[in-house]
Amino acid sequence: MTSPPANVLHGLKMAPSPALRCCKRALNWVPVLFINLVVGWSYYAYVVELCVYTILNNAERISYLVIFHIAFAMFIWAYWKTIWSTPASPSKAFGLPRQEKELYEREERAEVQQEILKKVARSLPVYTRTAGGAIRYCNYCQVIKPDRCHHCSTCEMCVLKMDHHCPWVNNCVGFSNYKYFVLFLAYASLYCAVICATVVRYFIKFWTKQLADTHAKFHILFLFFVAALFFISIVSLLTYHLWLVGKNRTTIEAFRAPVFTNGPDKNGFSLGFGRNVAEVFGDQAKYWILPVFSSLGDGHSFVTRLVHLDHEQANSVLQQNGKSPVDGEANPCVLGNNGQHTEDDSKEKADGGQIVSVTMESEP
């Protein structure tokens, strides 16, 4: 049997005790519990204190309840889909073959380890590098990182197309749930907007003492303030992520441009606004507003402005040496990218012995 690398052993020695990890995981749910308590109270304050005890007109009460529950249902749907969607991780195709893994673990020289990784990476659709130009390898998960994949220290796993780890959902936001996260922000904004727009009339009446002081006064005044505060903060975050979708960037890539073999390029994955949106929301508009998975691709390989690699070609590469992206198992998140890409200029170049088609695509 071979011994794991020194850095892996160091990580194992520094690993927290089971009791400490259990406490940490429990504490991670505190922000989620807080959000659910606020949402639960807002539901009670709106439905009971406003609609039942304060609004006297039945037509107004019913119309408010219908609009409110539609916004509430979509918000909760998107929110819980974001929370409970398991982050997608790299397939075993990105792990080192047994022989190369043994060589890598025995080798102590970093430059020799890189040569081993480069040899394996030639058979994978991997075109991004570290800032120093090295193959991106995770010593904890022991996989070559696919493009746009990063290791999350909180989830303790590599996450495909990782955007960030969100404490408010206690989950990593990445390829498997980024659409849900954006919809969660959109419907949370809508939920707060509905509350503000319908409560403001009675907020003013209570504030100016046009209505008698009742037990509903505190709930309605506080409900408006909380909804307005959350609306301002959530809309700003939603605007930022819609900008990221239009640019086809993750939060990580917005702060640190991805590095390709020819250097960093912040627009390396941008294919034009329409194609960028389709990559997250899908190519069928009827699914855009629903928290159902419709993103294009498989999360392991991406079409870029510099390297054109279609979905079938990527799968063909991953199936070399008897490997497949999902190791023979069905992957519900794999959808073919049928988008047509216009090739303005193409040429062939060698990348470490591998011939790849380089395609420059214009922004529509």
Side-chain angles (χ1 to χ4, degrees), residues 243-311:
W243 178 80
L244 289 178
V245 170
K247 295 290 186 178
N248 202 346
R249 298 178 195 170
T250 64
T251 299
I252 295 175
E253 292 165 354
F255 285 95
R256 184 175 64 249
V259 179
F260 296 87
T261 53
N262 60 334
D265 183 0
K266 64 180 181 180
N267 295 316
F269 293 106
S270 180
L271 305 173
F273 180 79
R275 298 170 190 167
N276 294 342
V277 171
E279 189 167 295
V280 174
F281 289 94
D283 51 8
Q284 298 186 57
K286 62 182 179 181
Y287 295 120
W288 287 3
I289 64 172
L290 299 177
V292 296
F293 188 86
S294 59
S295 301
L296 301 181
D298 60 4
H300 289 87
S301 59
F302 298 90
V303 177
T304 78
R305 295 190 308 119
L306 302 177
V307 179
H308 182 279
L309 187 70
D310 62 32
H311 185 66

Side-chain angles (χ1 to χ4, degrees), residues 84-105:
W84 296 113
S85 295
T86 304
S89 57
S91 71
K92 292 182 179 180
F94 287 83
L96 297 180
R98 179 177 298 179
Q99 182 178 356
E100 282 76 6
K101 185 177 181 181
E102 292 177 353
L103 291 173
Y104 182 86
E105 291 174 347

